[in-house]
Amino acid sequence: MVLSIQREAPLKPKKDGSPILIAGPCGVESKAQVMETAMALGKYPVDILRGGVWKPRTRPDAFEGVGGKGLAWLKRAGEAVGLPVATEVATPNHVEMCLSHEIDVLWIGARTAANPFSVQAIADALQGADVAVMVKNPVSPDIGLWIGAFERLNKAGIKKLAAIHRGFSVGGGGGLRNQPVWRIPIELKRRVPKIPLVCDPSHICGSRKLIKRVAQEAYDLMFDGLMIESHINPDVALSDSAQQLSPDAYGKLIASLEPKRELVDDADFQKELSVLREKIDHIDDKLVHLLGERMRIVEEIGERKKRSKASVFQPSRWEEILENRVEHGKTESLSADFITKVYQLVHEEAVRHQEK
Ligand code: PEP
Ligand code: MN
């Protein structure tokens, strides 16, 4: 189905290209905590005040949020600084309570977004409501599930939608809590160009010190906004303490980031870019041709192996290729990780060609 998206305040990307900024604590903990955080954040650019009152925790016995009573505290804190407020919903009951407290924006969390039954139950509870809804990416990198959530909401009449990219539980390194797998949000934007796309570097990083790099990367990739967790006293936060920024650190972060534009109407820029792109096109032509040539030789090898009843997969040869190409890659300033990934794909394809 074709999604119908209304880009409306507070989830409307701004004309000057500056990003939508959502900030606030991971969890609403007390009336004072959310009010003090909001007041301190109010000195800096913020468009929406966030705060979870129901916290989906991986293990029981962790702080699970203050529950429905926190909605009034959040709403009051937003009103005190003139900001719309956002919170997470996971059940129809959460939706009803948020609507009765006039919460401006709801979001569906990553764990809930992974479960179509839950998303449908939320969509049913939202039927006909005039509220904005953001959907976090499901924990696994499954774009179909993510788009399916928007479709369920759309069918319930919700058109003020936005997507939040908070990374995926796919293992992997870089010291990150969740891997960004940027190709997924980029593909979402290609398929649903009108959807405002917000990056949540806090949950991608899991740690304060990495947030700036990931936030700038999101700007470089043309995201429409950021959601950043900020707590008046991060060290004593009851959830996600390591990744929350103090309001002053948040202000500093936002000032240090550089939003980017596509620059489609700058003729000089476009001219220089097209010269460089022609070079890239030429290299890619050669690359694709070489890959084809490589596969043709692979097929010859496959025939030969078949005649001698040798196995398609030869572990020692694979080991040798990987080692040698990673070494070569180093002399071209290409990371071992990148070369390994490329050759894993090439090798998988080569095995397929020999099985023909
Ligand atoms: C949150 O935003 O506080 C949260 C729980 O996020 P996620 O669903 O991305 O884990
Ligand atoms: Mn959190």
Side-chain angles (χ1 to χ4, degrees):
M1 75 181 258
V2 179
L3 285 169
S4 162
I5 311 282
Q6 263 170 20
R7 292 157 75 102
E8 251 182 56
L11 292 176
K12 187 182 173 125
K14 295 172 226 162
K15 283 220 172 62
D16 65 356
S18 64
I20 303 167
L21 294 173
I22 306 171
C26 174
V28 170
E29 297 170 4
S30 69
K31 211 190 269 186
Q33 169 254 7
V34 66
M35 181 62 83
E36 284 168 30
T37 305
M39 298 295 249
L41 281 172
K43 293 185 275 179
Y44 303 108
V46 181
D47 301 299
I48 301 173
L49 177 70
R50 67 150 279 158
V53 303
W54 300 285
K55 300 302 306 170
R57 306 312 298 279
T58 307
R59 308 281 298 271
D61 301 330
F63 172 65
E64 289 185 319
V66 293
K69 67 173 185 279
L71 294 173
W73 304 342
L74 176 66
K75 185 72 186 173
R76 205 157 313 141
E79 281 165 356
V81 286
L83 289 179
V85 296
T87 202
E88 172 167 350
V89 291
T91 68
N93 184 40
H94 294 168
V95 170
E96 278 155 33
M97 288 167 81
C98 285
L99 294 178
S100 71
H101 281 83
E102 296 181 6
I103 301 298
D104 308 274
V105 183
L106 313 184
W107 83 76
I108 297 180
R111 293 162 189 83
T112 310
N115 182 343
F117 289 125
S118 302
V119 175
Q120 189 58 52
I122 292 170
D124 292 344
L126 279 164
Q127 186 73 46
D130 180 28
V131 67
V133 182
M134 311 190 286
V135 182
K136 289 200 164 199
N137 63 258
V139 280
S140 55
D142 181 339
I143 193 161
L145 264 181
W146 204 1
I147 291 178
F150 292 116
E151 289 172 339
R152 289 176 199 278
L153 291 163
N154 235 190
K155 279 176 185 274
I158 306 295
K159 295 185 176 168
K160 288 186 260 174
L161 293 166
I164 305 180
H165 167 235
R166 52 76 80 197
F168 301 88
S169 306
V170 286
L176 299 171
R177 178 176 177 190
N178 292 293
Q179 296 303 316
V181 200
W182 296 105
R183 67 182 157 79
I184 302 274
I186 288 171
E187 176 61 10
L188 177 73
K189 196 70 181 174
R190 193 184 69 79
R191 292 205 211 167
V192 194
K194 264 187 100 177
I195 195 122
L197 178 59
V198 173
C199 182
D200 170 353
S202 305
H203 289 89
I204 290 176
C205 296
S207 147
R208 277 186 274 288
K209 50 182 191 306
L210 303 169
I211 290 179
K212 182 173 168 182
R213 180 169 61 81
V214 173
Q216 184 60 54
E217 206 161 344
Y219 277 6
D220 289 346
L221 293 172
M222 297 281 307
F223 274 63
D224 301 295
L226 294 176
M227 181 193 249
I228 308 267
E229 285 187 340
S230 173
H231 187 287
I232 191 69
N233 189 355
D235 290 337
V236 299
L238 299 179
S239 58
D240 289 349
S241 163
Q243 73 194 29
Q244 301 209 58
L245 296 175
S246 69
D248 287 342
Y250 166 81
K252 227 189 241 172
L253 167 78
I254 297 303
S256 73
L257 294 173
E258 223 181 304
K260 300 280 171 68
R261 293 172 299 143
E262 206 175 347
L263 267 189
V264 275
D265 44 9
D266 181 325
D268 280 349
F269 170 76
Q270 288 299 340
K271 214 164 102 195
E272 281 175 45
L273 213 61
S274 71
V275 171
L276 293 169
R277 281 177 174 165
E278 233 171 80
K279 290 188 190 173
I280 294 271
D281 289 348
H282 188 60
I283 291 175
D284 282 348
D285 280 347
K286 285 203 265 187
L287 261 178
V288 171
H289 175 73
L290 282 173
L291 283 170
E293 204 164 276
R294 191 184 192 286
M295 285 310 159
R296 283 186 285 277
I297 296 174
V298 160
E299 282 173 14
E300 269 182 54
I301 291 182
E303 287 302 319
R304 187 64 196 83
K305 284 180 184 162
K306 215 175 265 172
R307 265 189 275 136
S308 292
K309 293 193 169 33
S311 61
V312 167
F313 178 46
Q314 304 257 324
S316 55
R317 170 63 176 160
W318 170 228
E319 193 65 33
E320 174 198 323
I321 288 185
L322 209 52
E323 236 171 72
N324 172 289
R325 306 317 185 248
V326 164
E327 273 313 303
H328 186 180
K330 282 185 195 155
T331 67
E332 299 283 353
S333 305
L334 299 169
S335 75
D337 182 47
F338 172 66
I339 293 286
T340 304
K341 278 188 190 141
V342 168
Y343 271 90
Q344 272 164 346
L345 284 176
V346 168
H347 186 250
E348 268 171 38
E349 187 65 14
V351 168
R352 262 197 297 278
H353 275 254
Q354 294 178 62
E355 283 168 348
K356 275 202 231 166

